[in-house]
Amino acid sequence: MDSEAVRSFVRAAELGQLQHAADELGVTQQAVSKRIASLERELEVRLFTRTARGVELTLDGQAFLPHARSIVAGVDRAVTAVRPVSRALRIDVLGLRSAQAVILHDYWRSHPGIDLDVVTLKVDDPHVAAAAVQAGDVDASFRTVTDPATLPRDLHMVRAFDSPLQLLVGPGHPLASARTLTPDRLRKLRIWVPGIVPRSEWAEFYDELVTAFDLRVDATGPNFGNEVLFDTLADSSDVATLVGARDRYIWPANYDLRRIPIVEPTLAYPLSLMLPRLNPHPGLRAVINHFASLAPLPGTVWLPSWARTARRSTDQ
């Protein structure tokens, strides 16, 4: 099996565009297409369907992707073993508009010479992300295994930073003119967070948040993406949602959505970085130090139970 064909498949799957994969790999789009076509012939399955927006994985492609990542990681480790220069630092984030990606971008801008590869594994179970770190598919992952007893022994987590929450509402919402809000003012509101995945770390977070402050978080309905959520908020006088203060979102200017800080206490989502205990990528130390340099949140902060006793990255 041609490892470069497998690599082309993985990057096309992660980026959703053959041209983007070609640009990253330094080849033509035609070369990427030929590699993937050859791989499909060898496997005797279709790995992608072509759409107007790019490519999407078939069911066979979805099944093959984690194994393909392992193949690429194994080749990279083999090459690194005989070359003095290691590959780019690869870190998994929940989304490219998430607070993790925003802060990593800030770090990269202040260290433009670093070879950094930011990816999204598109998995909800943190244990699946842990397996990807163990396999070397990524060097670190912004995921949290909330029960330390279930974290693989060869991995550990460092507390990266805490992301304060804001209430996001449309201009017709009764709280739209508020400059700040305390948690007690959120009671009885319909806070719509569609698509909370059971047993995910954020499902546990919202369970504790609801219990602690007697909130009404509505997770009904499938998650059709931020665009649909923002459409709903812009037209609604009673629906709100929660977003991270550092998360980067874009919506049409005429929506006039309002981000309102929550204070006394600040509600914060703790973010951890999962990495190997032994021989982590040498570039991780500087990234962790960057997190440790971030200013702590002011005032009283509420965190879920698993984060209250967790050590900050400065303790590692």
Side-chain angles (χ1 to χ4, degrees):
M1 185 173 292
D2 182 356
S3 64
E4 289 309 306
V6 178
R7 187 184 302 276
S8 296
F9 161 74
V10 169
R11 295 312 286 149
E14 292 173 344
L15 298 171
Q17 293 276 350
L18 296 185
Q19 186 60 61
H20 292 171
D23 292 343
E24 182 177 295
L25 296 170
V27 298
T28 65
Q29 180 176 335
Q30 184 180 22
V32 169
S33 295
K34 287 183 176 180
R35 289 175 181 178
I36 292 174
S38 174
L39 189 60
E40 289 177 324
R41 285 194 298 272
E42 183 176 354
L43 296 172
E44 298 182 347
V45 297
R46 290 187 64 192
L47 298 172
F48 289 114
T49 56
R50 272 64 174 178
T51 70
R53 303 177 67 178
V55 292
E56 293 182 357
L57 289 169
T58 63
L59 291 177
D60 287 321
Q62 293 174 33
F64 183 59
L65 181 57
H67 304 289
R69 285 194 176 115
S70 296
I71 292 170
V72 171
V75 171
D76 287 342
R77 287 195 297 270
V79 172
T80 299
V82 295
R83 286 185 179 174
V85 179
S86 63
R87 64 164 172 79
L89 170 62
R90 179 172 292 182
I91 299 180
D92 162 53
V93 298
L94 290 175
L96 295 180
R97 296 190 180 278
S98 66
Q100 309 121 60
V102 170
I103 290 182
L104 279 176
H105 182 236
D106 291 341
Y107 171 75
W108 178 82
R109 286 194 303 174
S110 61
H111 300 78
I114 187 174
D115 197 4
L116 179 64
D117 190 7
V118 178
V119 302
T120 300
L121 291 179
K122 297 181 181 178
V123 298
D124 298 313
D125 187 341
H127 294 91
V128 177
V133 177
Q134 285 181 298
D137 299 345
V138 293
D139 298 301
S141 175
F142 271 105
R143 313 287 172 141
T144 300
V145 174
T146 57
D147 181 359
T150 64
L151 182 69
R153 295 177 61 86
D154 54 345
L155 301 183
H156 74 137
M157 293 184 299
V158 297
R159 181 83 162 275
F161 61 92
D162 300 326
S163 181
L165 299 186
Q166 297 175 330
L167 191 74
L168 182 66
V169 299
H173 195 279
L175 296 176
S177 61
R179 298 180 67 88
T180 61
L181 292 168
T182 54
D184 62 290
R185 296 191 65 188
L186 306 183
R187 292 192 179 101
K188 299 183 180 180
L189 291 184
R190 183 191 173 196
I191 302 174
W192 190 38
V193 187
I196 297 177
V197 180
R199 296 183 298 278
S200 64
E201 63 185 85
W202 47 92
E204 294 187 45
F205 174 84
Y206 280 113
D207 284 346
E208 291 201 19
L209 185 67
V210 165
T211 301
F213 296 100
D214 191 24
L215 303 185
R216 177 190 169 200
V217 172
D218 180 4
T220 58
N223 183 3
F224 285 105
N226 289 332
E227 292 79 5
V228 172
L229 177 60
F230 298 154
D231 289 346
T232 302
L233 293 175
D235 294 334
S236 176
S237 61
D238 68 334
V239 179
T241 195
L242 293 170
V243 296
R246 290 187 171 108
D247 294 343
R248 183 183 290 125
Y249 297 109
I250 298 176
W251 52 75
N254 64 307
Y255 280 17
D256 194 23
L257 301 185
R258 318 291 176 83
R259 300 178 69 142
I260 308 170
I262 303 169
V263 299
E264 299 179 1
T266 297
L267 307 183
Y269 192 102
L271 291 157
S272 299
L273 195 65
M274 193 180 333
L275 65 154
R277 286 187 180 276
L278 299 176
N279 302 317
H281 191 288
L284 278 172
R285 174 47 55 190
V287 173
I288 292 170
N289 288 341
H290 177 73
F291 297 146
S293 71
L294 299 174
L297 299 181
T300 305
V301 177
W302 178 88
L303 293 165
S305 59
W306 72 80
R308 293 172 200 156
T309 57
R311 294 180 294 175
R312 289 294 305 268
S313 58
T314 49
D315 299 326
Q316 302 298 320

